[in-house]
Amino acid sequence: MTTNPLSPDAQAVVEQIKRELDEGVRPGRPRLRVAFIGPSRVGKTTMLLTMLSVFLQRFRTGREQTAGDFPRLELKPEDHQPTAAISNDALLNRLRAKLARFTSPDEDLPRELFDEAVRPSKTLSYYRYRFNVVNGVGTEIPIRMADMPGSWFNNVNGWEWEATAALCELCDVLVVPVDVPALMSGNRDIMEMRNAPTALRSLFQYLSARDVRGDAGGWLVIFVPLRCERWRWADHPDAQGDPDWSAKQSRRMFEEVDRAYADVVSVIREKWSDSKFAVTPVETLGSVHHHHFENDDDGFHSVFRKKAADASVEGVDTDQPVLHMITRLLAEQELNRPRLFQQGCVHNWFYGVRGDIRRAAELVRRRTKGIDGGPADDGFGYL
Ligand SMILES: Nc1nc2c(ncn2[C@@H]2O[C@H](COP(=O)(O)OP(=O)(O)OP(=O)(O)O)[C@@H](O)[C@H]2O)c(=O)[nH]1
Ligand SMILES: [Mg+2]
């Protein structure tokens, strides 16, 4: 670990990250920057694309708008690049097609099925959106999301490590997917291999030593337990008719996140005491469940099975992480309001005069699970 100046390679990458995150953002104006952080194959890209695609379907068409839901929320992709909705459809369709060939719930699904459908990310990918509360005076808030290649996590001495640190430093929300089979395995080696909590702790120790963020304050860290179908499935054979089985498992899952990431959380809290830590489980696929671990030369791998012969890919709670982000964004806007008045920005601002932001914040809060505490029996809550 070092606090020396960045190497030229790292410097160039960090400058590039800053440019990408700042593109289209007016200085001093609100914006939200989100980083997806975690080791290779934990599920960042699949989850990010699914989350955005579900959210866009709802909030772009205004289907969420009902009389009681005014003001209307809008999330629009900014680029002409293929939107998350399109890339996600392609990705999920590939998975769907491959899964459809397997018709027995008693059959182990081959690992290649998943790996051929979603390849490891090679570069940092950016997704640019604009968020708005539609009220007729609208100013849109840029949201920038960055999905890192997990391979960067392996290279603790290289520019990749510096780039990962810089990404965390620059973003306000950090999404940290958690592989639940590894989390629940009770096996440290599997946990380190899949979720790398020790590397994550080192990353924040490094940032702490570098004294970053200053006025920017703490993060909203969103832990997202993934591949958790087995533990949230009321009809799992292990439930043996116990109606509380999945509630107990979900609570245990929450407690395991709390335990496994306690060191990470305490390093962050010690330096950036206003940080918040949400836990929001997501079932990206919904149709397959972890059955057992297989061990070979490359380590441990989850083996999945279908929940039923005709189980179809159907995400559960995939929109929850983005709702948490928007809750944070709206809360910040409420806090900044007096400052914006002083700057005379208010005419060009999206508050309107009717308390729309407050109502929007309430609407989003109502739909965000676990926001008022935890751990609830559904596994959502704050640490
Ligand atoms: N069973 C199951 N497999 C998943 C799920 N999400 C992703 N996968 C598979 O897990 C593997 C890794 O997914 P990615 O989304 O590429 O993970 P990543 O964290 O972006 O990985 P890198 O790009 O290498 O950092 C792929 O084989 C996916 O098909 C899930 O919810 N359930
Ligand atoms: Mg990826």
Side-chain angles (χ1 to χ4, degrees):
M1 227 186 291
T2 168
T3 52
N4 293 336
L6 298 187
S7 67
D9 277 355
Q11 192 66 46
V13 180
V14 171
E15 291 305 320
Q16 167 79 8
I17 294 174
K18 277 191 188 147
R19 271 200 303 279
E20 292 278 358
L21 290 172
D22 283 346
E23 207 209 295
V25 178
R26 291 167 63 192
R29 286 302 177 86
R31 46 119 162 257
L32 190 70
R33 300 187 285 193
V34 181
F36 281 65
I37 303 293
S40 197
R41 311 320 270 151
V42 71
K44 297 177 293 295
T45 305
T46 316
M47 182 233 152
L48 166 64
L49 291 176
T50 308
M51 174 186 92
L52 285 173
S53 141
V54 166
F55 207 80
L56 286 172
Q57 277 163 25
R58 282 215 201 134
F59 285 90
R60 198 156 49 159
T61 61
R63 253 168 48 197
E64 290 285 86
Q65 188 180 18
T66 62
D69 275 351
F70 180 81
R72 181 155 71 90
L73 307 178
E74 199 173 66
L75 187 72
K76 292 193 291 204
E78 203 168 271
D79 298 324
H80 298 293
Q81 71 190 22
T83 67
I86 295 168
S87 12
N88 185 59
D89 284 348
L91 181 152
L92 283 186
N93 283 340
R94 272 202 303 272
L95 265 173
R96 272 194 190 101
K98 287 175 186 293
L99 282 169
R101 284 191 233 126
F102 292 83
T103 50
S104 165
D106 301 322
E107 192 177 357
D108 293 347
L109 298 167
R111 204 194 317 159
E112 306 77 57
L113 179 157
F114 296 100
D115 287 341
E116 283 164 11
V118 194
R119 296 289 183 191
S121 307
K122 292 209 174 73
T123 56
L124 193 58
S125 308
Y126 298 93
Y127 298 86
R128 300 185 182 86
Y129 288 83
R130 290 198 169 254
F131 174 75
N132 192 14
V133 177
V134 183
N135 64 1
V137 290
T139 296
E140 296 168 327
I141 295 190
I143 299 186
R144 302 283 177 264
M145 298 192 189
D147 177 24
M148 72 174 265
S151 57
W152 283 13
F153 236 71
N154 306 337
N155 211 345
V156 179
N157 296 312
W159 59 262
E160 294 90 343
W161 185 254
E162 307 279 1
T164 307
L167 186 62
C168 293
E169 176 183 346
L170 293 167
C171 289
D172 308 300
V173 177
L174 307 179
V175 179
V176 181
V178 179
D179 179 77
V180 174
L183 178 78
M184 302 297 265
S185 69
N187 179 318
R188 262 187 115 91
D189 295 339
I190 302 182
M191 184 63 188
E192 286 298 336
M193 181 190 147
R194 300 295 313 205
N195 290 318
T198 305
L200 201 61
R201 185 188 62 194
S202 303
L203 182 68
F204 288 104
Q205 281 169 332
Y206 175 70
L207 285 164
S208 180
R210 294 240 328 254
D211 229 354
V212 302
R213 278 188 75 78
D215 292 346
W219 289 281
L220 167 62
V221 181
I222 309 179
F223 291 106
V224 184
L226 293 176
R227 304 184 182 87
C228 54
E229 286 83 353
R230 175 196 167 114
W231 293 271
R232 306 218 304 168
W233 183 23
D235 295 330
H236 191 277
D238 286 356
Q240 297 186 340
D242 175 0
D244 296 328
W245 187 83
S246 70
K248 284 182 208 150
Q249 300 298 318
S250 297
R251 184 177 278 266
R252 219 185 99 215
M253 188 166 81
F254 182 98
E255 287 162 1
E256 288 296 329
V257 173
D258 195 12
R259 208 175 51 81
Y261 292 90
D263 288 351
V264 175
V265 170
S266 83
V267 169
I268 297 177
R269 273 213 178 110
E270 198 172 305
K271 181 85 178 180
W272 303 275
S273 57
D274 55 342
S275 296
K276 299 219 162 22
F277 303 87
V279 181
T280 75
V282 161
E283 296 174 42
T284 309
L285 301 181
S287 56
V288 300
H289 63 104
H290 164 87
H291 190 262
H292 61 274
F293 277 103
E294 197 175 72
N295 192 1
D296 65 15
D297 291 347
D298 313 330
F300 290 91
H301 306 276
S302 266
V303 176
F304 291 89
R305 292 189 179 182
K306 287 178 89 166
K307 280 180 170 178
D310 58 351
S312 61
V313 174
E314 193 76 63
V316 181
D317 292 325
T318 35
D319 58 342
Q320 285 296 319
V322 82
L323 287 173
H324 272 86
M325 291 169 205
I326 288 177
T327 301
R328 158 140 185 157
L329 178 64
L330 292 176
E332 257 171 27
Q333 301 324 305
E334 282 261 83
L335 286 176
N336 283 338
R337 192 174 181 181
R339 190 172 60 78
L340 290 163
F341 260 114
Q342 280 161 18
Q343 290 175 351
C345 300
V346 83
H347 295 302
N348 189 22
W349 196 239
F350 77 14
Y351 294 106
V353 286
R354 302 181 303 260
D356 292 347
I357 282 285
R358 186 161 297 125
R359 270 185 283 169
E362 279 163 17
L363 160 64
V364 178
R365 276 185 76 88
R366 269 209 310 277
R367 301 199 174 177
T368 311
K369 296 187 179 182
I371 201 153
D372 293 318
D377 282 348
D378 53 5
F380 291 84
Y382 274 80
L383 297 180

